[in-house]
DNA sequence: ACCCGTGTTCGCTG
DNA sequence: TCAGCGAACACGGG
């Protein structure tokens, strides 16, 4: 579920359902083996009960929740991994099938953190001191909050010899792109994803910076307005090249190809991406 | 059964 | 020293 747009969606879900509300009860439904992974303290459950959600922030693919607990401010850092989702429901409705954490809210609503594959993470941050969390400090700029400037991007990519699409997945470089939007951005920039990151040149860097913004903005646009529209895996494919191997490129009609880079599928058009 | 997967971390290698 | 690579994590869907 998780690239920048989906995490932004989760942030909005959390704000709409729970901002300013108190958590009446917290539980980790442990049906069968659906438990927290090692390293994730069940203490999360205890710490959250009674706290009030004061702020929800997104940095790259991380969600930063600030709570007012009895003992003062408390942070909850949430990363959705591959299949994590925050879902809001009526407290009386059944919990999500793979709910790892359920928060019952003041006012009759509830939140589920649902994650079948358990690649996601939940961590308490004492005092909500997010500045002291190393993995957050290591993140590159967030394309949505901080923008992506062409000259900066060219310089940043110039520090690695990896293929440009692989470099775009590096969260230390830029925080928020994942396998879909890295590929989509390359397509929008007419850029061969296999091109070495340090061999872009200013024109391609400029095109790529604009393409990153466009790709994310396009995905985010679906979430504007009163209805949050969620891009479901299994639903219609809203992307230009992602998961479209063999289909025709919407720009030049050549057949889209799939190649593997860094153990991930890359979809691209050999006709118009150079 | 087999393959694939919107992510990250860890350990090895050259 | 360190960039880069591949395995591993765990489960569901086609």
């Amino acid at each position: 579920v998780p690239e920048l747009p989906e995490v932004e969606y989760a942030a909005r879900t959390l704000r709409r359902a729970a901002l300013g509300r108190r958590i009446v009860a917290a539980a980790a439904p442990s049906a069968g083996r659906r438990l927290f992974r090692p390293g994730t303290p069940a203490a999360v459950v205890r710490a959250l009960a009674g706290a009030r959600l004061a702020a929800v922030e997104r940095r790259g693919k991380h969600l930063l929740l600030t709570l007012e607990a009895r003992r003062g401010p408390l942070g909850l850092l949430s990363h959705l991994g591959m299949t994590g989702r925050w879902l809001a429901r009526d407290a009386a409705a059944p919990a999500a099938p793979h709910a790892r954490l359920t928060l019952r809210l003041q006012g009759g609503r509830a939140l589920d953190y649902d994650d079948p594959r358990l690649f996601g993470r939940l961590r308490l941050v004492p005092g909500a001191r997010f500045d002291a969390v190393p993995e957050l400090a290591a993140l590159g700029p967030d394309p949505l909050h901080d923008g992506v400037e062409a000259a900066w991007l060219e310089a940043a990519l110039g520090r690695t010899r990896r293929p440009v699409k692989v470099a775009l997945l590096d969260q230390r470089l830029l925080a928020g792109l994942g396998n879909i939007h890295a590929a989509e951005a390359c397509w929008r920039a007419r850029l061969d994803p296999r091109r070495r990151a340090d061999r872009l040149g200013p024109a391609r860097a400029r095109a790529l910076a604009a393409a990153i913004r466009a790709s994310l903005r396009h995905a985010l646009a679906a979430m504007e307005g009163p209805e949050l529209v969620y891009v479901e895996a299994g639903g219609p494919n809203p992307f230009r090249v992602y998961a479209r191997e063999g289909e025709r490129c919407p720009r030049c009609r050549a057949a889209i190809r799939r190649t593997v880079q860094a153990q991930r599928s890359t979809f691209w058009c050999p006709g118009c991406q150079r």
Side-chain angles (χ1 to χ4, degrees):
Chain A
V1 179
E3 288 190 30
L4 188 152
E6 292 76 26
V7 181
E8 179 64 25
Y9 178 92
R12 294 178 190 185
T13 298
L14 289 168
R15 290 189 196 112
R16 284 177 186 219
L19 197 60
R21 296 236 166 80
R22 192 170 298 283
I23 297 166
V24 176
S30 53
R33 39 179 193 266
R34 290 193 254 280
L35 296 165
F36 292 106
R37 280 173 82 195
T40 306
V44 167
V45 170
R46 250 173 297 128
L48 294 185
R52 195 183 72 91
L53 185 65
V56 179
E57 189 192 341
R58 182 191 56 75
R59 280 189 214 167
K61 301 175 191 173
H62 294 262
L63 289 166
L64 286 61
L65 280 62
T66 301
L67 299 127
E68 288 165 5
R70 296 200 201 294
R71 284 173 217 154
L74 177 68
L76 181 65
L77 188 56
S78 167
H79 191 290
L80 304 178
M82 205 80 135
T83 51
R85 305 173 62 167
W86 281 98
L87 300 166
R89 61 174 166 87
D90 288 328
H98 303 285
R100 295 172 55 187
L101 179 67
T102 287
L103 305 177
R104 201 152 51 79
L105 303 170
Q106 185 181 43
R109 302 279 287 166
L111 289 170
D112 291 326
Y113 175 62
D114 185 72
D115 186 3
R117 284 176 77 176
L118 298 174
F119 286 172
R121 304 224 162 159
L122 286 167
R123 262 187 58 186
L124 293 176
V125 178
R129 298 290 307 275
F130 291 110
D131 294 348
V133 178
E135 57 212 82
L136 292 178
L139 291 178
D142 182 298
L144 199 59
H145 299 322
D146 308 318
V148 187
E149 203 267 315
W152 172 85
L153 182 65
E154 187 185 3
L157 289 170
R159 284 184 240 115
T160 179
R161 303 156 65 97
R162 287 176 295 176
V164 60
K165 186 258 183 175
V166 176
L168 290 176
L169 295 176
D170 187 343
Q171 304 295 298
R172 296 169 301 183
L173 190 93
L174 205 55
L177 291 183
N179 202 40
I180 293 177
H181 287 288
E184 293 290 295
C186 286
W187 180 84
R188 285 173 184 266
R190 301 174 182 255
L191 179 62
D192 187 331
R194 303 169 303 172
R195 179 178 282 273
R196 263 176 57 165
D198 58 353
R199 303 249 173 103
L200 282 201
R204 290 191 192 86
R206 204 176 316 120
L208 183 57
I212 289 168
R213 291 190 296 265
S215 181
L216 294 175
R217 221 181 311 131
H218 180 75
L220 287 162
M223 304 178 191
E224 303 302 331
E227 305 277 327
L228 295 184
V229 177
Y230 193 84
V231 176
E232 284 286 358
N237 180 351
F239 304 113
R240 303 291 206 274
V241 286
Y242 182 79
R244 293 195 185 279
E245 182 182 15
E247 296 179 35
R248 294 199 175 279
C249 170
R251 192 164 51 208
C252 79
R253 315 301 298 161
I256 292 164
R257 281 175 54 185
R258 171 185 179 269
T259 53
V260 174
Q261 297 181 289
Q263 309 180 87
R264 317 294 304 276
S265 288
T266 297
F267 298 90
W268 61 290
C269 173
C272 57
Q273 291 181 253
R274 302 296 154 135

